[in-house]
Amino acid sequence: MTRVRKRWLAEAFMQAVAYRGVNGSDAMGSPRYQLDSKDNGGRLDDQIEHACRFVARNQRVGTLKHVGPINWPQYDLTAVFEGVGNGVVHRDYARRRSKLRVGMYRDRGELYLRGAPTDGMGRGESAYNQNARNPAIGSLLKRCAVGDEIVAPRGGMMDRCGAGVPAIVARSRRVSGRQPVYELFGDELRVTICAADAAGSDSA
């Protein structure tokens, strides 16, 4: 199966990079600006879990001490999970350069989805979650189990139809106090999730 993917879907993989600062252009071609990077070209469910584990490994975790030690991560992993899962389902696998890109910066996380959006995608969060480019992939992911250490226990990777984007918005706002931003650049959709500010706390 891996040989088939490499031959016919060579770029249908996940690429994740964590950068040192807030400006990605500084990091282009300069490994010293990269804290961590990893590609995953395995099964789609593995790609989703890989992206979440990458974010968990590279995010800063602040500690609030005024009411006892409480860890406060920069991102809600369920929001990250839903965003990456949506990207896998909506990705245009017929196009070259169709890889999903996850970028982590000091103040935000970004997910890039390559491929011309289906009707309504990119014009707003509520429209984006209603258009499945690859319903067969979504149906299969509903049957794939996901580790409890990544998200709360659930039936499968794709839980309730249409519930992903509302979860991304609500959970991201709960952690950082800011709304995720959906932007369309030509045939590429960028989802930006703001990081919680841990600068005033002791980082783990």
Side-chain angles (χ1 to χ4, degrees):
M1 188 66 183
T2 301
R3 290 196 299 268
V4 172
R5 185 199 62 77
K6 288 183 177 180
R7 180 177 181 183
W8 300 108
L9 299 170
E11 297 186 72
F13 66 95
M14 182 80 64
Q15 182 180 74
V17 181
Y19 297 103
R20 192 176 302 278
V22 298
N23 189 350
S25 62
D26 293 340
M28 298 303 179
S30 302
R32 66 191 180 93
Y33 286 104
Q34 297 182 7
L35 296 172
D36 192 8
S37 65
K38 189 171 180 60
D39 293 349
N40 188 308
R43 301 181 321 189
L44 295 182
D45 55 328
D46 288 339
Q47 291 185 29
I48 296 172
E49 290 205 20
H50 152 74
C52 293
R53 295 183 195 280
F54 184 90
V55 171
R57 183 171 71 246
N58 285 284
Q59 71 175 333
R60 297 167 61 198
V61 180
T63 302
L64 305 177
K65 295 184 176 180
H66 63 286
V67 291
I70 300 175
N71 290 333
W72 193 266
Q74 285 184 298
Y75 304 99
D76 182 288
L77 285 185
T78 297
V80 175
F81 179 87
E82 295 288 358
V84 175
N86 277 351
V88 167
V89 173
H90 292 293
R91 174 166 59 182
D92 187 351
Y93 290 89
R95 297 175 59 87
R96 294 188 60 83
R97 298 184 299 166
S98 62
K99 65 176 179 285
L100 279 174
R101 295 187 291 130
V102 176
M104 292 185 67
Y105 302 87
R106 193 169 59 208
D107 62 344
R108 70 194 185 280
E110 295 179 347
L111 171 66
Y112 290 86
L113 164 62
R114 174 72 68 174
T118 56
D119 292 343
M121 287 174 58
R123 293 201 295 266
E125 295 89 338
S126 60
Y128 175 77
N129 75 87
Q130 299 298 323
N131 299 274
R133 182 191 299 277
N134 303 294
I137 292 177
S139 178
L140 289 172
L141 288 175
K142 288 181 180 180
R143 307 176 190 178
C144 294
V146 56
D148 293 349
E149 75 279 8
I150 297 178
V151 296
R154 56 195 292 170
M157 287 201 159
M158 295 289 105
D159 200 2
R160 291 179 298 159
C161 182
V165 171
I168 296 170
V169 173
R171 288 177 171 271
S172 297
R173 291 185 64 180
R174 188 181 308 158
V175 171
S176 69
R178 285 168 286 183
Q179 185 95 351
V181 178
Y182 287 70
E183 300 172 282
L184 189 60
F185 301 96
D187 65 347
E188 188 169 55
L189 180 69
R190 181 175 72 188
V191 183
T192 301
I193 300 178
C194 297
D197 183 10
S201 59
D202 298 328
S203 296

